[in-house]
Structure formats: structure tokens, C-alpha cells
Amino acid sequence: MAATSNIAVLLKYFASKQNSAFVVYKDFADYIKRYAQHNVEEVPDLVSYLGNPESAIDKELIPLIKSKQVALIDQDPSKKQIFVTGFFNSKFADRYKEIQSNPAVPFPTITDLPKQAPLEVLNKQNSQDIVFNLMKKQDKNDRQLYAIIIPNNVPAVIFPGNIPISILVDSVMGKIRRMLKKEEYHDYYLKKLRIANPGKEMTSKNFFTDFVNKPDVAMRSLESAGDSFYFWNQLCYFIKQDYEKVKDFTQEDINVLQSVYIAEIVISFFKNEAQQNLQRESALKTLQNLLQKPPYYFTMDTILKFTDSKGIPLYGQYTEKDLKEFLQKETTESSNQELPQLLVFKVDNGTRYFVYKNNVIPLIVRLASDAHTAIDEKLTKEWFRLLQNFEKRPEMHDEGAFNNKLKAECAVEAPPLYALLNANFLPILNMEMQETSTVGAQGSIFEGNEMMSYAGILQLNRNTILENAKILLPVWYTIPIISWIIALFTKKSNKKKKVNKQKTNVVVKETEEQSENEVSASKPVTKKDALKHAAQAVEAEFVPSGSTLENELSSYRKQWNKMITKEANNNLTEDVNALIRDYLRKVLRTLPAKGFTADRVSELAEQLCNTPNMKKITEHDALLNYTQLYMVFLVKNI
């Protein structure tokens, strides 16, 4: 043994040397003093045992007693002994090795401990708790000696913590198997199992035969879901039912009962594991399907809020580790040096989005369609103001400058779109689509290997915007002489206005803030104000970062409203809006403001979309999302 100052190791070594778990305190103190004198140069921590070792030993024993690694017997200094639990860990570990080679060897029990052994060193727990905990996670060590308490006064089984729990499971199954191999038991229990399963006689026979003759096959059946759990439970029940009727137990009867009770717990554990695995796989499959649906791009916060068809959160049906492993696999694994299925892009504020690569182009088209109106209106108003002041900008007349302007506006008005268009995976995705001939099916934002201009992607025309801005101008702006005279005076006055405006802006802003504070302090909060505030909070949950409530409503409306003519399209939208307004009006009569939450809105939208009239619209998911957002829109603008 290498030199050490660990008193637990030294105690165990001294006990094994004496071949007894009972160590005389005085003898151990003498031994450790000699040991310290011999090894102090190699292990300086042993210096505390050189003088009077008792005080140092007493100090070190306190944590060992608390952790049940040792126990003190008889406080009389002349008779004091230390009981070393680790001695029996090694002894009982050897017993389990014997059981594996010969199932007839009985399990160690409390009676196998010496009569004077202190029972407080045993970690006593009921069989359900200890077996479940050890099978979930076992920290093998020689510090614990478990006493597995079994119901109905069946003797407790001693299990040392320094061997794997799988050895206990193998021992239990081996003892049951040994009993079933006996001729009088084999045919009897096989017959009971077949009678209990009419129509499944052959399946139950195969299960029984595999258990008795093919241990590896039988154990593998425990790790997979199926009928095997039903047969396992039946077999254990039949054995336990018969053996509990016995009045005078033999050692073999006790061993069988101990094994059956523990086997039932093992089977229950594996059944729970199989059910959890199925639940986890189903939840991850649902997550994968939800990530393929509109709006196609999702943040981690959104993913954590996903629910299944019953409204139960998916996060909880799988763990954080499961989710990370799923996303890691989807975002990294690929075949033939292609892009992974799930791509990640990040906007300027640091928010990360996940999008499946087959949805990237449809998402860009959708976001571009949403951004088209906002940027078109913004540029029209901006150019109108410039033209009013007889000012010009390069983007009004130069296509290159116009595209640079659109790029800058896209970064402000549609950050997710801007991030996608500048993502480093986009050119690679275009090459993959060309190779697989999927460009025509999804459309493309590329012309060959070059990405289309921002004007082409956003479907915005410089001349059209300029003409629309000019239409808003008064008629005299089109008469050259008059417009020249107005321009002459306007340019001079503009310089003065800019200076005055800068001075007054600060005063106006301070006055407005003061007025708002005075009004908010004097007015009590009404239900209407509370509902508006709640709607804003719900909006933040439903609307992706970088988008707006109006843009999302417009996008989903285009998905569920497929009417071609403008009149029919408007009529259908108004009919749906009217249904939502009427439904929400009734709900708000009794709904408190604090009850207007994201979950409640989702529930209300689901109920409304399942009514006969709404079910006629085929695009259910888009309609559901639209209904949720329109409810928020109504309450927000109540």
C-alpha cells in the first residue's frame, strides 16, 4: 500500500490485516504512530500523529462516523473499539461473486453480521427507493453498506456499495431462473402463464423459455418496451403468490422471495425508463415537426415554450440535456459534405434563430413580402418630405445608391431578413439547391451564383417610389417657374428652421414627459388600461424579434386566405375578423386583465378555430396563429 494520511484507508488496511472489522482503538493508535514515524518524510500530513495520536484520530473519526464508515463501540478507553464498515464491504462483495457462479448461495443478511456489530452503520432503505436510486445513478465506493428492506417480514438483503447494482440484478434473476429450471416448477409456472394469456400462448411460452434458457435475451427484453413487461409482472406475481402461502420457509424459499420482490422493482424501473424514452422520442419528434411550421424561424425562448397537441409543454417531456443534444445533432450532422438540416443565424442584437434549410428560401420570400410594404411606405414618406423642401438624394436617381439604401432600411425594418441575406451559409445552400434541382420548386433569390439585388428581393422599384412621392406634392410643385421661386425661399428658411427646431425639441420633450407623469400619477388604472398593458406583454411573446404585429397578421392572412379576387379576399377576412371580435367581446366581459396571458389567448384561439365555421378554412395552423395575433391586436387597440 502506498503511503497515505487518509485514516479511512488506514483503518480498512489495519482491519484486513487483523481479519476483523473490530479494531481495538489503543492498538490502532499505536500502529498509526509507528506508521507516521516511518512515512512522515514522504507524507508530511502524518506529523499530527507523531506525538499523542489519540486527539488527531478522534478528530478524523467524527466525519467517518457521520457517513457511517465507522462506529465506536464502548467508550471505556481500555475497551474502546472501532467498527470498520469497509471490512464487510469487501467480504460481502466476495459473497456476490459466489452467488453469480452458484445461485444456490444465499444473499447476505443482517444475521451474517457479528452480534456485537452496530447496526447503525447500515444504510437502511426500503427496496423501492434503494434499487431505483442505485439503478439511476450509482457512485461505487466502500463507504456504504446498504440494507435493502423487503416487505412482509422477509429478511433484508445486505448489498455493499463497492459493486455495481447490475450484479444484484443478475443474482436476483439467477436465483429465480434456478428455481424455474426444476421440473416441478418449470411446467407449473409455464402453464399458469399460458392460461393467463389466451391468444398469446406462443408469445408467453417464448418469453418463459428465453428467460430460463437465454439470460442475455431475457435481460435485453427489459430494456425495450413491449409485452415482455406484462409477462414479467405476471410471472413474479404467480411466484410471490405461491411462496407467500408457505408457512415454514427454507433458505431457498427465502432466497426466491427476496429475489422476486427485488425483481419486481427492477422490472418497474425498466418499464418507467422505456415509457420515458418513448415520451422523450415522441416529444422530440413533435419538436422537429413544429420547427418545420410557420413562422419557420425560432429563438431558444420560443422553442422552450412549444407544447404538444394537448397543450402540455414539450420541455419537461425531454430534459435540457436532451434538447441540447437534439439541436447539436441537427445543426452539425450532415451527409456528403452538405449543410446540416438545421441552420442558425444571428441578428445584430445577438438573438439566435433556428431554421431548417428547406425553409430558408420560403422564409426569405415571406419576410421580404412583409418588409416590402413597410419599407415602401417609409421611403415614400421620406422622399415626399425631401421633395417638399426641394432636396434630392443619390438613391432617387442612382440604382446602386438605391440598393444601398434598401440594404440599410432592411437592417432596421427587418433584422431577421437582413441577417439571412448576409448569412455565410446562403451561397452554399444555393449550390446545393442547384445540384438537387429544387430551385424551381421553392423559387430563388439567386440569379445563377449571384444573389439578386435588394430591390429585386423586396420587389421595390425606385422610379415607382419616386413617382408615388411626387403624386403627394401640391400641384404648383409641377410648374417650373413657381416651383423655382418657392424653392429659393424654402432653402433659406430651412436653415433657420433647423436651428430653431433643435432648440425647441429639448423644451417640448421635457414638457411632454412632465405632462405624462402628472397624468399617470393622477389617473387610476382602469381595466381597459390593464388589458392594453397585458396585450403588450402577450405581443412580445407571440411576435418574433425584428418583426411587428401588423406584419405577422398580414403574413398569416396571406397563408389562410387563398381567395383570388380582391373582393372575395376582403369579404373572407372581414367575416373571420367579425367572428373573432364577437367571440372576444363576450370573453372580455368576464375575463380579468391579469387573465389575459399568452396561454389563455392560445386556448381561446384554439376553441374558436375548432368551431364549424372556422374549420372550413383548410390552413388551420396559419388561421390559429392569425386568430391569436388578431385578439392581441384588438385588445391592444381597445
Side-chain angles (χ1 to χ4, degrees):
M1 181 183 74
T4 178
S5 62
N6 189 322
I7 195 170
V9 175
L10 293 171
L11 271 169
K12 187 178 177 183
Y13 174 74
F14 189 74
S16 62
K17 197 174 179 182
Q18 289 191 335
N19 195 28
S20 172
F22 298 92
V23 173
V24 177
Y25 184 93
K26 188 175 182 304
D27 292 345
F28 179 69
D30 293 339
Y31 162 76
I32 201 169
K33 184 175 181 178
R34 293 193 306 273
Y35 181 86
Q37 290 171 346
H38 187 266
N39 296 285
V40 69
E41 291 184 5
E42 185 180 349
V43 185
D45 288 345
L46 290 171
V47 70
S48 59
Y49 301 109
L50 290 177
N52 182 14
E54 283 83 357
S55 59
I57 293 173
D58 290 341
K59 184 179 179 181
E60 294 292 331
L61 286 179
I62 293 173
L64 298 182
I65 293 171
K66 288 182 179 179
S67 60
K68 300 185 179 182
Q69 295 183 57
V70 301
L72 287 178
I73 302 174
D74 203 330
Q75 296 298 323
D76 188 336
S78 60
K79 299 179 180 179
K80 187 160 64 172
Q81 290 181 309
I82 305 171
F83 180 83
V84 183
T85 309
F87 177 82
F88 280 98
N89 277 75
S90 300
K91 185 176 180 180
F92 290 145
D94 293 337
R95 173 78 71 86
Y96 275 93
K97 290 179 182 177
E98 292 180 44
I99 295 173
Q100 284 192 298
S101 58
N102 180 14
V105 176
F107 284 121
T109 63
I110 293 176
T111 56
D112 290 299
L113 292 171
K115 289 183 179 180
Q116 65 271 36
L119 298 183
E120 61 266 20
V121 298
L122 295 175
N123 188 338
K124 295 181 181 180
Q125 297 181 39
N126 68 62
S127 51
Q128 176 86 14
D129 292 341
I130 194 168
V131 175
F132 257 70
N133 291 336
L134 290 177
M135 293 193 73
K136 280 184 179 180
K137 184 180 180 182
Q138 182 182 9
D139 177 22
K140 288 190 298 179
N141 59 72
D142 59 2
R143 298 189 299 272
Q144 296 289 332
L145 196 60
Y146 298 99
I148 304 175
I149 308 301
I150 297 174
N152 296 335
N153 297 319
V154 178
V157 173
I158 301 295
F159 180 71
N162 60 339
I163 63 173
I165 186 65
S166 57
I167 291 180
L168 175 63
V169 176
D170 290 341
S171 302
V172 162
M173 297 302 180
K175 288 182 179 295
I176 299 174
R177 190 180 296 110
R178 177 177 177 273
M179 180 270 292
L180 292 176
K181 281 184 177 181
K182 294 181 180 180
E183 187 175 346
E184 65 270 26
Y185 293 115
H186 182 280
D187 295 341
Y188 170 72
Y189 284 111
L190 175 58
K191 183 178 179 181
K192 290 192 76 170
L193 197 62
R194 295 182 67 181
I195 292 173
N197 294 280
K200 293 184 178 181
E201 290 87 350
M202 187 56 67
T203 307
S204 58
K205 180 183 177 182
N206 290 338
F207 159 78
F208 188 88
T209 304
D210 286 343
F211 174 61
V212 174
N213 300 319
K214 302 175 182 178
D216 292 340
V217 175
M219 288 305 297
R220 282 200 298 272
S221 71
L222 277 174
E223 299 174 4
S224 60
D227 290 338
S228 61
F229 290 120
Y230 182 67
F231 296 137
W232 277 108
N233 285 326
Q234 278 189 322
L235 181 60
C236 288
Y237 173 75
F238 293 146
I239 296 172
K240 189 170 66 173
Q241 187 181 44
D242 289 337
Y243 270 81
E244 285 180 343
K245 294 176 182 177
V246 177
K247 293 183 179 180
D248 297 321
F249 288 114
T250 64
Q251 182 59 56
E252 185 177 355
D253 295 337
I254 293 173
N255 268 236
V256 171
L257 266 177
Q258 289 170 328
S259 299
V260 169
Y261 274 110
I262 295 174
E264 283 185 318
I265 297 166
V266 171
I267 293 161
S268 176
F269 174 83
F270 280 116
K271 183 179 180 180
N272 288 342
E273 286 286 300
Q275 289 174 342
Q276 288 175 7
N277 288 337
L278 284 175
Q279 183 187 57
R280 179 171 60 253
E281 290 171 7
S282 176
L284 289 173
K285 185 66 177 176
T286 303
L287 169 64
Q288 191 175 39
N289 292 336
L290 289 173
L291 288 172
Q292 295 275 13
K293 293 184 177 182
Y296 302 130
Y297 66 118
F298 306 92
T299 64
M300 181 60 77
D301 287 341
T302 306
I303 291 173
L304 292 174
K305 294 175 183 176
F306 280 158
T307 60
D308 60 18
S309 58
K310 298 178 181 178
I312 301 172
L314 293 179
Y315 185 63
Q317 297 181 47
Y318 48 69
T319 63
E320 181 181 358
K321 181 182 177 183
D322 296 329
L323 178 59
K324 286 182 177 178
E325 288 177 353
F326 169 80
L327 293 176
Q328 177 73 12
K329 179 182 177 183
E330 292 289 285
T331 55
T332 56
E333 291 187 8
S334 61
S335 58
N336 302 323
Q337 297 183 339
E338 294 181 347
L339 288 169
Q341 291 299 313
L342 191 63
L343 303 176
V344 183
F345 66 95
K346 186 166 66 172
V347 296
D348 288 341
N349 65 4
T351 303
R352 296 168 70 244
Y353 289 95
F354 297 88
V355 56
Y356 272 102
K357 68 178 181 180
N358 58 305
N359 290 327
V360 169
I361 300 302
L363 175 59
I364 289 176
V365 172
R366 178 200 161 196
L367 293 175
S369 176
D370 294 344
H372 167 91
T373 304
I375 296 176
D376 185 18
E377 291 177 356
K378 184 177 180 180
L379 287 182
T380 301
K381 292 177 181 178
E382 182 181 324
W383 289 7
F384 164 68
R385 287 193 298 270
L386 291 169
L387 292 173
Q388 265 189 319
N389 296 323
F390 296 94
E391 296 180 29
K392 294 181 180 180
R393 291 287 186 272
E395 57 264 24
M396 293 180 178
H397 306 286
D398 180 72
E399 195 65 27
F402 178 64
N403 271 294
N404 289 335
K405 176 67 173 176
L406 290 181
K407 184 176 181 180
E409 291 297 334
C410 184
V412 175
E413 296 294 327
L417 175 61
Y418 179 80
L420 274 173
L421 294 176
N422 291 276
N424 53 11
F425 58 72
L426 201 56
I428 304 172
L429 179 61
N430 177 55
M431 293 172 61
E432 288 185 11
M433 292 171 62
Q434 289 177 341
E435 291 174 2
T436 57
S437 302
T438 58
V439 176
Q442 297 191 54
S444 179
I445 59 167
F446 282 85
E447 296 172 344
N449 291 327
E450 295 294 326
M451 192 173 76
M452 293 170 60
S453 65
Y454 275 79
I457 294 172
L458 294 168
Q459 295 293 295
L460 290 172
N461 185 281
R462 173 177 53 82
N463 292 325
T464 302
I465 296 174
L466 186 59
E467 287 300 319
N468 290 337
K470 287 180 178 179
I471 290 171
L472 299 175
L473 293 171
V475 66
W476 53 80
Y477 276 76
T478 60
I479 303 172
I481 296 176
I482 298 176
S483 62
W484 179 84
I485 295 171
I486 295 172
L488 187 64
F489 289 98
T490 302
K491 288 178 181 178
K492 289 181 179 179
S493 63
N494 279 344
K495 293 180 181 179
K496 295 180 180 179
K497 286 181 179 179
K498 286 180 181 178
V499 175
N500 293 332
K501 189 175 182 180
Q502 290 175 355
K503 292 179 179 179
T504 57
N505 275 346
V506 177
V507 177
V508 171
K509 186 176 181 180
E510 290 178 354
T511 305
E512 287 178 350
E513 289 179 352
Q514 185 177 354
S515 299
E516 287 177 2
N517 291 335
E518 289 175 355
V519 171
S520 61
S522 59
K523 278 187 177 181
V525 178
T526 62
K527 181 180 179 180
K528 182 174 74 172
D529 293 333
L531 281 169
K532 284 184 176 182
H533 183 73
Q536 290 173 352
V538 177
E539 179 186 6
E541 292 194 41
F542 283 162
V543 178
S545 175
S547 185
T548 64
L549 180 60
E550 290 72 16
N551 286 346
E552 293 298 309
L553 279 169
S554 175
S555 175
Y556 285 122
R557 183 172 62 248
K558 292 174 184 176
Q559 293 178 45
W560 63 260
N561 193 339
K562 303 291 186 180
M563 293 297 180
I564 298 175
T565 65
K566 185 175 181 180
E567 183 179 356
N569 191 292
N570 291 338
N571 288 340
L572 179 58
T573 299
E574 181 53 35
D575 289 343
V576 170
N577 288 349
L579 279 172
I580 299 172
R581 284 196 300 269
D582 292 342
Y583 179 72
L584 188 61
R585 191 180 295 113
K586 295 176 184 177
V587 171
L588 291 180
R589 289 173 185 168
T590 56
L591 183 70
K594 64 180 180 180
F596 193 80
T597 62
D599 291 339
R600 184 60 174 149
V601 171
S602 299
E603 182 183 335
L604 293 172
E606 184 72 39
Q607 291 174 357
L608 181 58
C609 289
N610 285 328
T611 58
N613 289 333
M614 297 286 264
K615 275 189 173 181
K616 294 177 183 178
I617 298 173
T618 55
E619 298 292 336
H620 180 80
D621 290 338
L623 178 63
L624 179 62
N625 288 327
Y626 177 85
T627 304
Q628 292 176 167
L629 292 171
Y630 192 64
M631 286 181 175
V632 175
F633 175 80
L634 292 173
V635 176
K636 183 182 172 184
N637 296 282
I638 196 168

